[in-house]
Amino acid sequence: MIIAEKIKESCGALSVVQRGNMLALRNGNVGYSCIYTDDSIYQPILIHIQKLIEAYTSVYTIKNALVLGGGCCTIPRFLIKRYHNTICIDSVEYQSEIIALTRKYFLEGMNVDKLNLINDDAYTYIHNTPKQYDFILVDIFVGDMMPQKTHTDMFIKDLECHTSCTSLVVFNAYKCSLDQCKELCKQGESLFDTSFVTVDSDGTYYIVFIKGNIDKSIIEPFINA
């Protein structure tokens, strides 16, 4: 394991760690992002989300994507490679140090002309942006916990207001209990056409909201929690 760079910041020490063809950003024992540095399309973490996106795009096209809690662009990297740089992506990250490390290490050799790294608070951004998106990933954490503000009705409504008429919203609910996920899922039931909780092979839950009519057979494999 090689530590490419380590910097101190208000919440601890950020480390860029390389092992073979994998590059990761960590804060102590907490992993923030991880990518493959080679030509791999699929990235080493959030595999369940990548598969869900693929299933969704068998029906609908994603033209504009938003990642709230962008980290070092794991999902943007997948989107760029899988869809041949056809998606305009906004990646919102609160910590400027993470954005600087992303630019320095995590985008090397990538075609990033449609990737916009935004240094802003995720909640402020989604409340104020005039844009609408076909895909939104909520990947917001303080340390390894999802902030309580993510569970509020106002935040869910902001997401709904800034999604297009056919759209996919996914929450990474790492460390949330199934009951917490089901409660958050209920908050979006009146705003989205489809809502469900899904779980990956490691036991991490994700909350999914979909606008538009989608064939149940496409999402059925993911309704497993």
Side-chain angles (χ1 to χ4, degrees):
M1 182 176 70
I2 301 171
I3 298 178
E5 185 167 340
K6 188 172 184 178
I7 61 171
K8 292 182 179 180
E9 48 96 36
S10 57
C11 298
L14 295 172
S15 299
V16 178
V17 179
Q18 185 157 17
R19 179 179 294 166
N21 67 337
M22 293 177 61
L23 191 66
L25 179 69
R26 302 188 64 83
N27 187 341
N29 293 324
V30 179
Y32 280 2
S33 294
C34 187
I35 64 164
Y36 287 124
T37 56
D38 56 18
D39 292 331
S40 298
I41 293 173
Y42 302 98
Q43 301 306 303
I45 60 172
L46 304 177
I47 296 292
H48 203 62
I49 294 177
Q50 295 171 61
K51 291 179 178 178
L52 178 59
I53 292 169
E54 282 197 318
Y56 178 81
T57 55
S58 69
V59 180
Y60 294 119
T61 300
I62 295 175
K63 295 181 179 179
N64 299 287
L66 171 66
V67 179
L68 296 173
C72 292
C73 293
T74 298
I75 291 299
R77 190 180 187 90
F78 164 74
L79 292 174
I80 291 168
K81 287 180 171 288
R82 175 62 179 81
Y83 300 99
H84 310 290
N85 196 35
T86 59
I87 300 173
C88 295
I89 307 166
D90 291 334
S91 181
V92 179
E93 171 55 51
Y94 181 70
Q95 293 181 256
S96 58
E97 298 93 340
I98 291 179
I99 291 179
L101 291 172
T102 299
R103 294 186 188 279
K104 186 174 181 180
Y105 294 102
F106 289 81
L107 301 177
E108 185 176 354
M110 291 285 294
N111 193 343
V112 295
D113 59 300
K114 293 185 178 180
L115 173 63
N116 184 24
L117 302 183
I118 301 169
N119 184 200
D120 200 355
D121 173 77
Y123 305 103
T124 301
Y125 180 86
I126 195 61
H127 186 71
N128 293 331
T129 181
K131 294 184 178 181
Q132 288 195 317
Y133 295 94
D134 308 312
F135 170 68
I136 298 178
L137 170 62
V138 180
D139 198 20
I140 305 170
F141 291 91
V142 176
D144 59 358
M145 300 300 294
M146 182 188 290
Q148 188 58 39
K149 194 171 181 179
T150 309
H151 297 257
T152 61
D153 289 336
M154 178 177 288
F155 181 64
I156 305 299
K157 289 177 181 176
D158 280 341
L159 291 172
E160 189 278 330
C161 285
H162 298 291
T163 47
S164 57
C165 59
T166 55
S167 52
L168 171 68
V169 177
V170 182
F171 284 70
N172 180 1
Y174 176 69
K175 285 206 171 181
C176 288
S177 68
L178 180 56
D179 286 342
Q180 288 175 314
C181 292
K182 286 182 176 179
E183 184 61 33
L184 183 55
C185 195
K186 285 181 182 178
Q187 291 174 251
E189 285 180 352
S190 63
L191 300 173
F192 295 88
D193 297 299
T194 302
S195 60
F196 61 91
V197 180
T198 184
V199 61
D200 68 15
S201 58
D202 295 322
T204 297
Y205 293 109
Y206 305 90
I207 299 103
V208 180
F209 298 128
I210 296 174
K211 272 188 186 179
N213 296 319
I214 190 164
D215 189 331
K216 296 299 182 184
S217 66
I218 292 170
I219 59 173
E220 189 173 4
F222 297 94
I223 305 176
N224 59 357

